[in-house]
Amino acid sequence: MRLCEFCNEPAPFVIRADELERHLCAKCLKLEEPVPGIADLLNKLVGPSKRTRICPHCGWKAEQVEHTGKVGCPLCYEALDSPLLHEIERL
């Protein structure tokens, strides 16, 4: 998942218009919403970010990622809330 272009939070929403793609979190989508009420509807469908500091699949901690630069399993990329992993997603 990419990060919001305004606040760097996880951005589950993508707005595409005229070959321009914008990644937004629920809060920023609400501020920039192209259709009134769409942010609330989309947030109900997607829900809040489910990233945590501990991977529910392997038990690896975000602190371990930041210390070693390694993940415990492939699912850590989606599960862990780590600044290092956010940077990797931007690439």
Side-chain angles (χ1 to χ4, degrees):
M1 180 180 302
R2 294 202 175 205
L3 298 180
C4 178
E5 63 186 60
F6 295 111
C7 68
N8 290 325
E9 292 294 319
F13 305 109
V14 178
I15 297 175
R16 291 183 182 97
D18 299 325
E19 297 182 22
L20 178 66
E21 189 173 277
R22 300 175 73 193
H23 297 269
L24 301 171
C25 69
K27 181 181 75 174
C28 293
L29 177 67
K30 195 166 201 152
L31 296 173
E32 297 286 321
E33 64 186 320
V35 177
I38 194 78
D40 291 331
L41 174 63
L42 290 174
N43 201 29
K44 287 178 184 174
L45 292 173
V46 174
S49 172
K50 296 187 177 15
R51 291 188 175 213
T52 64
R53 298 294 293 171
I54 300 174
C55 178
H57 309 288
C58 70
W60 199 259
K61 296 180 182 176
E63 290 83 12
Q64 289 172 288
V65 171
E66 292 156 16
H67 179 72
T68 65
K70 298 177 182 178
V71 294
C73 74
L75 299 173
C76 286
Y77 290 101
E78 288 295 320
L80 292 177
D81 183 22
S82 165
L84 180 62
L85 295 178
H86 293 307
E87 285 298 317
I88 291 170
E89 288 179 346
R90 286 185 186 198
L91 300 176

